[in-house]
Amino acid sequence: SRGLGDVYKRQPQILTILNSKITHSTIIEVRYSETDSMSYTHHSNYLKFYEIGRLSWVKNIGFSYKKLEEEGVGMPVIDLETKYILPIKYDEEITIKTSIKEIPSSRIIFFYEIYNQDNVLSNTAKTTLTFINLSSKRPVRTPKELLEIIKDKF
């Protein structure tokens, strides 16, 4: 994981900057069931890729999403922005880079970059999640333990 302002070069014509101290990469293979009749990944599956990246990110920093839910806190997605740049095809090994750029309060914003097997940027996205009390469904602040782990990484 690289620091603030690090630049990753993929191909000579592609330059991507991740302004984050907390970045995690997850590698998965696109399954046949995730593609359409043209062998392109169906757009709805990108949401699953973001979730895979996000859950892997949480685990990588040393926190448990399951523990969060057991303590009565949920993290629903309340906003999503995505940009499809290049199609990702069946059987490609893709890299999902997941990062945050700021310390969360009652919301946490994740940024995603998905690279195809040739390390070419194929998709970017941003999701905003809010922390809620699962019983009352009301917003709550970032759980203390998670906040301490994140602050320690910044």
Side-chain angles (χ1 to χ4, degrees):
S1 174
R2 302 202 181 214
L4 184 64
D6 282 342
V7 177
Y8 301 96
K9 290 187 179 183
R10 294 285 166 224
Q11 301 250 334
Q13 74 276 16
I14 295 177
L15 188 66
T16 303
I17 300 172
L18 290 177
N19 293 316
S20 174
K21 288 188 175 183
I22 305 178
T23 300
H24 179 69
S25 294
T26 308
I27 298 171
I28 63 170
E29 189 174 285
V30 176
R31 297 170 295 199
Y32 184 77
S33 64
E34 295 167 329
T35 62
D36 60 20
S37 61
M38 298 178 291
S39 291
Y40 292 168
T41 299
H42 190 269
H43 65 275
S44 64
N45 288 297
Y46 285 81
L47 298 160
K48 294 176 188 175
F49 298 161
Y50 308 147
E51 182 175 35
I52 290 167
R54 190 167 56 246
L55 292 175
S56 182
W57 180 92
V58 168
K59 186 176 184 177
N60 183 64
I61 66 165
F63 197 73
S64 167
Y65 198 93
K66 183 177 181 180
K67 180 181 174 189
L68 186 74
E69 289 181 338
E70 288 171 351
E71 293 175 356
V73 178
M75 289 175 56
V77 174
I78 59 170
D79 190 46
L80 164 71
E81 297 173 24
T82 189
K83 181 173 178 150
Y84 303 99
I85 301 165
L86 293 172
I88 295 173
K89 298 179 182 172
Y90 163 65
D91 207 32
E92 280 196 75
E93 191 173 85
I94 63 171
T95 301
I96 307 162
K97 289 194 174 197
T98 308
S99 63
I100 65 170
K101 298 179 182 180
E102 60 189 41
I103 295 172
S105 56
S106 62
R107 295 179 177 192
I108 186 167
I109 302 170
F110 289 94
F111 296 85
Y112 311 88
E113 293 180 340
I114 299 179
Y115 293 86
N116 67 16
Q117 66 187 16
D118 296 322
N119 286 326
V120 177
L121 183 63
S122 300
N123 176 267
T124 60
K126 174 178 130 178
T127 58
T128 303
L129 290 80
T130 190
F131 296 96
I132 64 166
N133 176 298
L134 289 174
S135 297
S136 68
K137 307 296 186 236
R138 308 268 311 162
V140 296
R141 309 265 321 145
T142 304
K144 185 178 179 182
E145 183 182 350
L146 177 58
L147 189 58
E148 287 173 2
I149 291 170
I150 292 172
K151 282 182 176 179
D152 187 52
K153 305 285 184 193
F154 267 84

